[in-house]
Amino acid sequence: MTTTHDSERAEQLTLLRESALSFAAKASPLHRARALRQQTPGFDRQFWAALAEQGWTGLLVSEKMGGYEQGFAEMAEVVAALATQVAPEPVVPVLVFAGRLLAHAVPSDLATRLLTEMAEGRTLPAVAWQEDITGAKDRTDQAATRLERQADALLLNGSKRHVRPGAGADGYIVSATGPGGLALVWVPADTADLTVTSQPLADGSYAAQLDFNNVRLPASHLLAEGPNAVAALTRAYDETLVSTSVELLALVRGMLSMTQDYLRTRVQFGKPIGTFQSLQHRAVDLLLQQELTASIVTQALALLDSPDSDASARSAMASRVKSRASDAGLQVAREAVQLHGAIGVTDEYDLGLYLQRALVLAAWLGNGSQQRRRYADLTQNATEQEHA
């Protein structure tokens, strides 16, 4: 049954969608994304300040910390609008992954300060938790990076990979194994004995590898430890998988729209190639991929916004939607290039911007195969517990 609250929220989401799409189209045309490629850090801090002026950097942050305390459906409207223009700003890595991880960590003065500064657009935190070069062996409850306690200080040793936004971050939330199990530690970007190495990605943005060589930190930089740290990192990871799927869906829509326009206007043998039945069938297959992905993304966002969602169901849904969105993104990109013919592989043509971003996002935090394995493990464990 549709309630008054549901109707009001639907209306607010429509207004936010129109506002975000209008802003992104005017402030972030595709040539801006092209110009920022291979330019460290790969995005524009002034544009980030413009996002803060819109209030979007505080959408998910508590009102007590200067935010608007909105849901993931609202955040998805902004994420999708910016992804439609292939904007390179790290909205999901910073506002969803790092922001939600800080929100889920044990309340502290440090976490409150970082969230407040993030909502104001002044601080960009990043999460550093992956260590495997392929990402296949990474788990949210394990870390090879070591944390030691020395009197009133913390000592960090180890390495992290695939950190986004890499060198553009103001600091890192680092996972490490210490005396109390998994720990989350805040490491400012200018900390001594921290080495940040930028690594270019396919879309012209950058990730980073972090190396910690006896990095010494105040004890107050410990954000969470033990089961609290595992739960916080797992929940933020799941929420980020869903938000990344929102980005991938926007890219799918963009690539399919460009392809449909091309099929309508490219003429061969005296008529538009879109009238050829074999190409129509391929276009329909792409539309099916788009709609199947849209359906599960909607379900996942509703689950994240539900106060009654359970952790196991949330994790399973997050892996399911990321698997679907990653595979759909790659399939639509591949088919879109083929349907465009030779022009589809030229760097000057904008389709390449969408394809390159889809390549990066499909792999980030686990590709389709990795997410299917996680989904199988999660659902198998749940079934075994039911029959125990």
Side-chain angles (χ1 to χ4, degrees), residues 57 60-61 91-105 111 114-115 118 125-127 173 236 239-240:
T57 52
L60 293 175
V61 178
V91 170
V92 172
V94 171
L95 302 182
V96 180
F97 202 4
R100 296 300 291 175
L101 183 51
L102 288 169
H104 298 322
L114 292 173
L115 279 169
M118 190 193 77
V127 181
I173 305 167
E239 292 165 344
T240 308

Side-chain angles (χ1 to χ4, degrees), residues 157-206:
N157 280 287
S159 298
K160 295 293 181 182
R161 297 176 182 272
H162 316 304
V163 182
R164 295 177 66 214
D170 296 308
Y172 307 94
I173 305 167
V174 180
S175 64
T177 300
L182 190 79
L184 300 174
V185 185
W186 172 249
V187 182
D190 57 358
T191 301
D193 300 315
L194 165 64
T195 303
V196 181
T197 306
S198 292
Q199 297 174 326
L201 301 176
D203 63 349
S205 65
Y206 291 87

